[in-house]
Amino acid sequence: MTASPTAERPSLRSQRLNQITHAPHARLDALVKAHAPFDTQANFARFVVAQYLFQSELVALYNDAELIDIIPDLAERCRADAARLDLSDLDTEVPAPFEGAVQNPSRAEALGWLFVSEGSKLGAAFLIKRAVGLGLSETFGARHLGEPAGGRAEGWKRFTRTLDALEFSAEEEAAVEKGAIDAFVRFTVLLEQAYASAPELA
Ligand code: HEM
């Protein structure tokens, strides 16, 4: 008898992505909290700057015809517009693009990035509750954290079901994982940039 292959490496791609991004997610969660985004609206606005930069770098992926063939509602899932409106609600300037955005990733790599962006909507359920304490809501200032049409859990399940059903080569399997890891690295860079560009804040 050999040990179950799922013991160390889950059989579902989405589960494997969860597993390899667990540590980066925990680090990012701690970093977000270290910037005390829910202490003041000004602190929260810097978090929105990071979210806007991240989302705006992914607009091309959310609108990519080949990716929409795989995920038909992909374009509606994009939150760049919602984050831009949040910036306006918070009297915060739309930031200039920051060098180092993802450029023309392969299909599998792009799906790794989208996995992270879509997954971040789950944590957003917790974050929006905190934002309410700052007088914000899914129609003012915290739109990008709002419940997606059709529900958070359902939207995530549809996304992961589709991702899990795709046939990938070994190279593509490595690329989707690279995309997910790179997305966490990028969000971390953008978060630091967002707070560094407002030196009077935490
Ligand atoms: C840019 C990417 C992401 C950011 C900035 C982010 C941020 C966060 C933060 C700050 C929390 C803590 C909320 C709280 O305790 O109040 C959280 C929780 C959570 N996140 Fe993320 N997240 C990201 C990606 C993901 C991904 C890819 C997934 C799923 C695959 C995910 C799933 C969750 C879940 C389920 C929670 C709630 C409970 C828990 O901590 O396990 N997030 N996220």
Side-chain angles (χ1 to χ4, degrees):
M1 289 281 290
T2 51
S4 157
T6 58
E8 292 201 331
R9 202 160 153 80
S11 59
L12 281 181
R13 180 174 297 126
S14 60
Q15 291 299 320
R16 290 196 296 276
L17 291 171
N18 270 336
Q19 189 182 58
I20 64 157
T21 59
H22 182 81
H25 184 271
R27 281 195 295 272
L28 184 55
D29 179 356
L31 190 66
V32 167
K33 287 172 178 158
H35 285 294
F38 302 105
D39 279 11
T40 63
Q41 272 201 14
N43 275 9
F44 181 71
R46 304 324 296 172
F47 176 70
V48 180
V49 165
Q51 290 274 35
Y52 170 78
L53 287 168
F54 187 70
Q55 287 298 314
S56 61
E57 291 178 359
L58 300 184
V59 165
L61 305 190
Y62 274 102
N63 289 285
D64 181 274
E66 196 193 352
L67 293 168
I68 290 173
D69 275 348
I70 301 171
I71 303 156
D73 67 348
L74 192 60
E76 294 96 85
R77 288 172 176 264
C78 183
R79 288 173 294 158
D81 285 345
R84 194 173 29 75
L85 290 169
D86 287 337
L87 289 173
S88 158
D89 295 339
L90 296 163
D91 290 326
T92 300
E93 270 184 38
V94 174
F98 188 63
E99 61 166 5
V102 59
Q103 296 293 339
N104 301 316
S106 67
R107 182 187 70 144
E109 209 174 333
L111 287 164
W113 281 83
L114 292 170
F115 171 87
V116 174
S117 177
E118 288 300 299
S120 73
K121 293 177 178 173
L122 299 176
F126 297 82
L127 301 179
I128 196 157
K129 288 191 184 134
R130 307 282 310 277
V132 167
L134 293 172
L136 307 175
S137 71
E138 59 181 45
T139 56
F140 185 83
R143 302 163 198 259
H144 78 283
L145 300 174
E147 171 104 21
R152 274 180 219 282
E154 193 41 51
W156 177 240
K157 272 188 220 145
R158 274 190 288 111
F159 180 83
T160 51
R161 227 183 280 133
T162 303
L163 181 63
D164 288 338
L166 296 172
E167 296 274 347
F168 274 1
S169 66
E171 283 85 340
E172 288 173 314
E173 217 62 78
V176 71
E177 295 190 2
K178 177 183 186 304
I181 295 290
D182 286 352
F184 273 101
V185 170
R186 183 63 181 164
F187 195 95
T188 304
V189 167
L190 295 175
L191 190 70
E192 296 297 36
Q193 164 64 16
Y195 284 93
S197 59
E200 73 277 14
L201 295 174

